[in-house]
Amino acid sequence: MDFAEADALIQAIRTVAIRHRALAEKRLAPLGLHTGQEVILLELDANGPRTQAQLATSSGCEAPTITHSVRKLEAAGLVTRSPSPTDGRATIVDLTAQGRRLMPTLRQAWCALAEETTAMLSSTDHATLTAALADLAAGLSGRPVPR
């Protein structure tokens, strides 16, 4: 790949990331959320209580970022934190009743974000893009992404 191709590819990825984050902020703001917080809530909703370390791993964020986000979510009344009964160093995070009530609206916003992001694509292109991005993520992480 020459420089012009590399530059075009990297600029396209960067532009998509910036615009997608802006759309996500627009969709999440009415829910009182910032980007990144939705990933934590969706993970807790899908898998139940998690340690902050598990949330860091599943979200791809550093532990201090998760700690900060969880504190904000706790202050908003959406999650609780409690000491792990089996590991004195770990903190367990779980959704509150208020957090559970938010989930249908959050899932709707997540779907709207995906639809808005890919509005110009056909359903065939959706599948192709999803597969290509999964392959790209796998290549960047050095491990396969399950499909």
Side-chain angles (χ1 to χ4, degrees):
M1 178 179 308
D2 67 19
F3 178 80
E5 291 172 306
D7 187 50
L9 174 64
I10 291 169
Q11 291 302 326
I13 291 170
R14 183 177 177 277
T15 300
V16 167
I18 290 167
R19 292 180 183 170
H20 185 264
R21 184 178 178 94
L23 287 175
E25 284 287 344
K26 182 178 98 177
R27 292 285 177 182
L28 295 172
L31 305 179
L33 299 174
H34 296 283
T35 55
Q37 292 176 331
E38 82 285 5
V39 175
I40 294 168
L41 296 174
L42 290 165
E43 173 71 14
L44 293 171
D45 184 52
N47 297 303
R50 291 281 174 258
T51 65
Q52 289 187 176
Q54 289 170 320
L55 291 171
T57 299
S58 67
S59 68
C61 292
E62 297 293 324
T65 301
I66 290 298
T67 300
H68 178 73
S69 293
V70 167
R71 283 185 185 144
K72 295 270 189 184
L73 290 168
E74 183 179 39
L78 300 174
V79 302
T80 59
R81 292 184 302 155
S82 58
S84 168
T86 59
D87 182 350
R89 300 166 295 164
T91 300
I92 305 290
V93 182
D94 197 6
L95 289 171
T96 62
Q98 180 181 342
R100 283 184 188 79
R101 285 191 302 273
L102 179 66
M103 294 314 300
T105 306
L106 177 54
R107 283 192 295 273
Q108 255 182 341
W110 197 246
C111 290
L113 174 60
E115 289 169 6
E116 189 173 1
T117 300
T118 60
M120 303 280 295
L121 301 177
S122 69
S123 59
T124 301
D125 288 341
H126 284 185
T128 302
L129 178 62
T130 300
L133 290 173
D135 289 345
L136 182 60
L140 292 172
S141 69
R143 55 182 183 235
V145 175
R147 290 191 190 153

